[in-house]
């Protein structure tokens, strides 16, 4: 099975928006940032003298953790968008071919094979098929690249079947 797709910057944004909340590292980062904020508040203001001040410290820590996550996310998206181009093979036309051997990818600048045994996961997320090949590295196949929803679903089923078979072997 084969699909020809045109990866756009909007696909990368959509991937980040949908994947980041599902990543374990997001919650670990939030916890660390909240603890650092709480530690800074203890250092700068001392131990809270009342339960009200403790609640303020805790709420401030949560806000600090969330603020850090938002800034980190925005920085990450800006970095990804500024470093992605057709020249380096991230954006533009991609031809993906499913074979029992693996996922073949061909772009204007590179050609490669990711063996199914090296794939972390295969899943559909919203309007995309995501083939995860590293902790933060994905092949994206948007639904718009397929002739129909049925063709998209069949492609997903075949990719999952090949991947699951490789997990057994």
């Amino acid at each position: 099975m084969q699909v020809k797709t045109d990866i756009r910057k909007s696909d990368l944004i959509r991937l980040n928006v949908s994947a980041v909340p599902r990543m374990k590292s997001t919650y670990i980062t939030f916890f660390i940032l909240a603890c650092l904020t709480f530690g800074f508040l203890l250092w700068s203001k001392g131990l809270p003298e009342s339960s009200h001040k403790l609640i303020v410290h805790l709420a401030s820590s949560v806000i600090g953790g969330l603020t850090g996550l938002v800034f980190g996310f925005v920085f990450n998206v800006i970095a990804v968008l500024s470093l992605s181009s057709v020249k380096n093979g991230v954006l533009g036309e991609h031809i993906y071919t499913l074979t029992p051997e693996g996922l073949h990818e061909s772009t204007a600048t590179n050609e490669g094979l990711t063996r199914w045994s090296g794939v972390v996961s295969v899943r559909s997320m919203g309007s995309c098929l995501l083939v995860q090949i590293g902790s933060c590295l994905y092949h994206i196949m948007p639904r718009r690249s397929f002739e129909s929803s049925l063709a998209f679903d069949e492609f997903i089923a075949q990719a999952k079947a090949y991947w699951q078979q490789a997990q057994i072997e």
Side-chain angles (χ1 to χ4, degrees):
M1 297 185 91
Q2 188 176 75
V3 65
K4 183 179 187 179
T5 187
D6 181 35
I7 303 299
R8 306 172 188 158
K9 288 189 177 195
S10 61
D11 296 319
L12 300 181
I13 293 170
R14 213 173 290 118
L15 170 64
N16 277 279
V17 168
S18 59
V20 167
R22 292 175 170 87
M23 295 171 62
K24 182 180 176 182
S25 61
T26 300
Y27 298 98
I28 293 169
T29 302
F30 167 75
F31 180 74
I32 291 169
L33 291 172
C35 287
L36 288 172
T37 304
F38 190 75
F40 175 76
L41 289 171
L42 289 178
W43 175 76
S44 65
K45 301 197 183 276
L47 289 172
E49 298 164 358
S50 67
S51 59
H52 173 64
K53 287 187 178 183
L54 177 62
I55 291 170
V56 169
H57 275 41
L58 291 173
S60 298
S61 299
V62 169
I63 291 169
L66 289 173
T67 301
L69 278 181
V70 169
F71 278 113
F73 175 77
V74 169
F75 178 79
N76 179 57
V77 169
I78 289 170
V80 166
L81 294 179
S82 65
L83 296 172
S84 300
S85 70
V86 174
K87 287 182 181 179
N88 64 17
V90 175
L91 300 176
E93 184 179 281
H94 288 63
I95 299 171
Y96 291 108
T97 307
L98 302 177
T99 67
E101 185 181 23
L103 176 67
H104 293 264
E105 174 197 25
S106 177
T107 70
T109 58
N110 61 50
E111 193 168 323
L113 167 69
T114 303
R115 297 193 186 281
W116 293 115
S117 60
V119 171
V120 175
S121 71
V122 176
R123 64 180 183 263
S124 67
M125 190 177 295
S127 61
C128 290
L129 167 62
L130 301 178
V131 178
Q132 185 177 4
I133 58 173
S135 62
C136 295
L137 191 57
Y138 296 84
H139 288 293
I140 309 167
M141 287 148 254
R143 182 184 306 266
R144 70 172 185 275
S145 304
F146 295 85
E147 294 177 12
S148 67
S149 290
L150 179 62
F152 179 66
D153 293 339
E154 288 173 352
F155 197 89
I156 291 170
Q158 185 64 67
K160 285 183 177 180
Y162 284 145
W163 177 65
Q164 289 168 345
Q165 182 62 38
Q167 303 310 301
I168 295 170
E169 296 173 354

